Amino acid sequence: GYNTAKAVLAGVMFTLALMFDNWVILLLPTILIYQIGAVVKADKAERGKTGLIIAAQAVASLVVFYLAALPMMMPYYSQGSYFVVFDQMYAWFASNIYMSNDAFNMYAMFGLANSGVTSSALGVCTWLFGAALAILSALNYFLNGRSTADLMLTSGVSVILFAAIGTGITVEVMTLGLLLLLAYIILVPDIRLMSIFGALSLTHFLNVAQLIGRGGFIASSGDMQYLMFPSKSAFMIVFSVFTVLLAFALVYVVIDLCYYNREKTLKYHS
């Protein structure tokens, strides 16, 4: 059916995106919730078939992901490391050792960007926090009408909160959350969401632009190199405060939208 095709396409696109950025793994709960929803929405007689099709897509995507990495991982395979592609993904996450890696977030707000080193315990807490947000998103989806739009909203806000509060965060995380939030705003042009999205987009743009500018990439100087922000940078601290406040304001609006169903959308006049 149509829902099955969309669920399969979502899984395929997720796999393709994961080949380009490890942080896309944060969208895995969204894909799983959506695909499980497709099975639940199917007619009783079709649920088994729908489940098998989606499961087959998941297995095929995993195989394709593994095979795509094969040429680059061949030296490791010759040493007996057959699952090194997944080990490399884990190692990449572990390499983000600072509380905040050049990203505006809660730890950067306290001057710990690029200086405060995260611990295994804090790392586990961050991922448990992400899992809790995914569970809340799933509960809202299945208990509140299985709205795809609401799923995009809660997933986007979950990723933005993860970026604002988590440890080991890099600038790419906020980008993922903002893209999901934009997709929801296109469907439901809530004025409050548009305002917060605009403000968060501005702070995120300043984060990325200043980081690129510091390295000389904008001016195209001959000494282009990656330069991290100073941990006590007033720029980092001030805009991290704005980012965290905006993230919590976003939570308030989402509760109003998903729990109380109160929308304040733009009114179009002909």
Side-chain angles (χ1 to χ4, degrees), residues 55-76:
Q57 172 271 309
V59 173
S61 293
L62 185 63
V63 171
V64 169
F65 183 84
Y66 184 86
L67 292 176
L70 194 60
M72 295 170 284
M73 299 293 115
M74 193 62 72
Y76 297 97

Side-chain angles (χ1 to χ4, degrees), residues 12 25 30 40 60 69 74-75 85 104 110 124 132 154 192 197-198 202 208 223 231 251 254-255 258 269:
V12 171
I25 197 70
T30 304
V40 173
M74 193 62 72
V85 60
F104 296 156
F110 294 106
V124 169
T154 55
R192 299 164 299 174
F197 172 80
L202 176 60
V208 176
D223 298 325
S231 60
V251 172
V254 169
I255 292 173
C258 294
H269 300 283

